[in-house]
Amino acid sequence: MPMERRLTFTDLPEAKAVLGMKDEFLKTLQKEFPACQIVARGDEVIIIGDEPGISQVEEVIQMLRYLHRENTYMTTQHVRYSASLIRQGQGALLQSIYGDTVSISARGRLIKPKTAGQKQYVDSIRKNLVTFGIGPAGTGKTYLAVALASFYLKNREVERIILTRPAVEAGEKLGFLPGDLQEKIDPYLRPLYDALADMFGYDQFQKMVSRNIIEVAPLAYMRGRTLEESFIILDEAQNTTREQMKMFLTRMGNHSRVVVNGDITQIDLADRKLSGLTEAQRVLSNVRGIGMVQFTDEDVVRHDMVGRIIRAYEAFYKKQ
């Protein structure tokens, strides 16, 4: 015979936050636990089903309540991932993931890992002088690296942040774009600008750029430099050549930390050149002080559809 359990929220605002706008999180929770019936009434949730299912639903709701109290920006990904781990009996791992605050955004939002892969990535950056984050789009590699960079800068553990990426996607098309070289490559650096503006606020970010505390530049600008007391992030590293990768890694100076991000399934290099990221995986995997973190589709934190697309491509390529 089905059992019934009632959960009462602190107040109506908490209920609306935990259940989501237009009950979006509640609907996702219902999809994750189809054997249970989950009904919201005002500041109360009624769960009907068998004991194991009811307890798991309650555990997910309590985790969402915790995230709400922590001022975390919640999405359906939190609901799906929490449900997945709790069904596997790994609720304690969720505490470890969501209990870690990486930084605080300009709007006061706590930046936290959302998956076990992200937690491993964050821990690797803290532990190692060089960390490689390798995996599909939407796994938060760039955003988390920028969040950690902002934390190190605010705590004066580094003096500046340097973000770079190759402008390979442009290739010969750069000459057809209007403006000087910086204006031509700005579109390729936009994801880095957006993440930094979220961390510091747009006005503060612009001031820090003008004072050279934050530098966002194409990879070609790194040649011949020694980057000391800096947090350096190389994004879209799959589009570096082997020579560019070696050049970049040897720019590292004293009291600096380096993060290299990329997705080896999205290499845009011409003439089938060997990706510097692919080679670095093989050459540096056992070097002390270097961490290699591999993300999977389970770490995708964008819209649900992104994960589905990645899995579809992986299945297609396996058949080829």
Side-chain angles (χ1 to χ4, degrees):
M1 183 176 178
M3 300 176 60
E4 178 180 300
R5 188 171 303 170
R6 294 172 180 261
L7 301 179
T8 303
F9 294 101
T10 304
D11 50 33
L12 199 56
E14 183 192 41
K16 289 182 178 179
V18 171
L19 299 179
M21 185 178 295
K22 296 182 179 179
D23 289 339
E24 180 183 22
F25 300 160
L26 176 64
K27 293 172 184 175
T28 302
L29 191 59
Q30 183 66 78
K31 289 179 182 178
E32 293 293 327
F33 296 94
C36 291
Q37 183 181 356
I38 311 168
V39 181
R41 290 178 182 168
D43 63 351
E44 189 176 60
V45 167
I46 304 168
I47 312 168
I48 302 171
D50 59 16
E51 172 54 35
I54 289 176
S55 295
Q56 290 174 351
V57 171
E58 181 178 5
E59 193 174 350
V60 174
I61 291 174
Q62 296 299 355
M63 184 56 64
L64 296 178
R65 293 182 74 179
Y66 165 76
L67 291 172
H68 170 62
R69 289 194 299 271
E70 287 282 289
N71 195 30
T72 305
Y73 178 71
M74 292 190 292
T75 68
T76 56
Q77 189 274 340
H78 285 101
V79 183
R80 288 183 286 102
Y81 195 73
S82 297
S84 175
L85 288 193
I86 286 170
R87 281 196 301 266
Q88 298 171 42
Q90 299 187 59
L93 179 58
L94 277 177
Q95 294 284 352
S96 171
I97 296 169
Y98 295 155
D100 186 355
T101 298
V102 176
S103 188
I104 302 175
S105 75
R107 290 176 286 179
R109 188 181 294 166
L110 299 186
I111 310 301
K112 295 174 175 287
K114 295 181 179 179
T115 68
Q118 287 195 351
K119 172 64 173 168
Q120 181 188 359
Y121 177 65
V122 166
D123 288 344
S124 178
I125 293 173
R126 289 168 174 156
K127 175 184 176 182
N128 298 296
L129 293 178
V130 179
T131 292
F132 285 79
I134 304 168
T139 49
K141 301 184 296 292
T142 300
Y143 191 79
L144 282 174
V146 170
L148 275 166
S150 72
F151 175 83
Y152 277 78
L153 183 65
K154 290 172 183 176
N155 284 273
R156 300 185 177 180
E157 296 184 46
V158 296
E159 291 189 352
R160 57 181 175 160
I161 298 172
I162 299 173
L163 303 103
T164 184
R165 65 183 291 186
V168 169
E169 302 96 322
E172 296 178 352
K173 299 174 186 175
L174 278 176
F176 296 97
L177 296 173
D180 58 23
L181 179 58
Q182 188 64 45
E183 291 171 328
K184 291 174 189 287
I185 55 100
D186 269 355
Y188 302 99
L189 303 173
R190 182 55 53 189
L192 302 176
Y193 289 136
D194 292 342
L196 283 164
D198 198 32
M199 289 300 121
F200 295 101
Y202 185 77
D203 291 341
Q204 181 66 14
F205 163 59
Q206 291 292 343
K207 290 177 183 177
M208 296 172 87
V209 170
S210 65
R211 292 162 56 194
N212 209 34
I213 296 173
I214 293 177
E215 180 181 351
V216 185
L219 183 59
Y221 285 20
M222 299 297 110
R223 189 174 299 278
R225 302 175 61 183
T226 300
L227 308 174
E228 298 194 340
E229 298 184 338
S230 303
F231 195 112
I232 312 150
I233 301 171
L234 171 60
D235 208 26
E236 301 292 343
Q238 75 275 3
N239 287 328
T240 61
T241 63
R242 58 200 308 181
E243 295 81 11
Q244 287 174 323
M245 178 62 77
K246 184 178 179 182
M247 177 276 292
F248 170 78
L249 292 173
T250 54
R251 299 308 93 200
M252 182 180 180
N254 294 317
H255 310 296
S256 287
R257 197 168 296 266
V258 172
V259 178
V260 179
N261 292 325
D263 177 3
I264 57 176
T265 69
Q266 295 188 15
I267 298 172
D268 298 313
L269 293 170
D271 302 325
R272 296 186 176 274
K273 289 183 180 177
L274 176 65
S275 165
L277 181 60
T278 302
E279 182 178 71
Q281 273 187 287
R282 298 199 296 262
V283 175
L284 305 175
S285 59
N286 295 317
V287 175
R288 184 166 55 89
I290 295 181
M292 294 275 180
V293 179
Q294 185 71 53
F295 292 89
T296 70
D297 57 38
E298 292 184 357
D299 297 304
V300 173
V301 294
R302 287 182 188 165
H303 194 281
D304 298 359
M305 187 58 70
V306 177
R308 292 180 215 160
I309 291 170
I310 291 169
R311 286 189 290 274
Y313 269 99
E314 287 178 348
F316 176 78
Y317 290 136
K318 284 179 181 178
K319 291 179 181 178
Q320 301 305 304

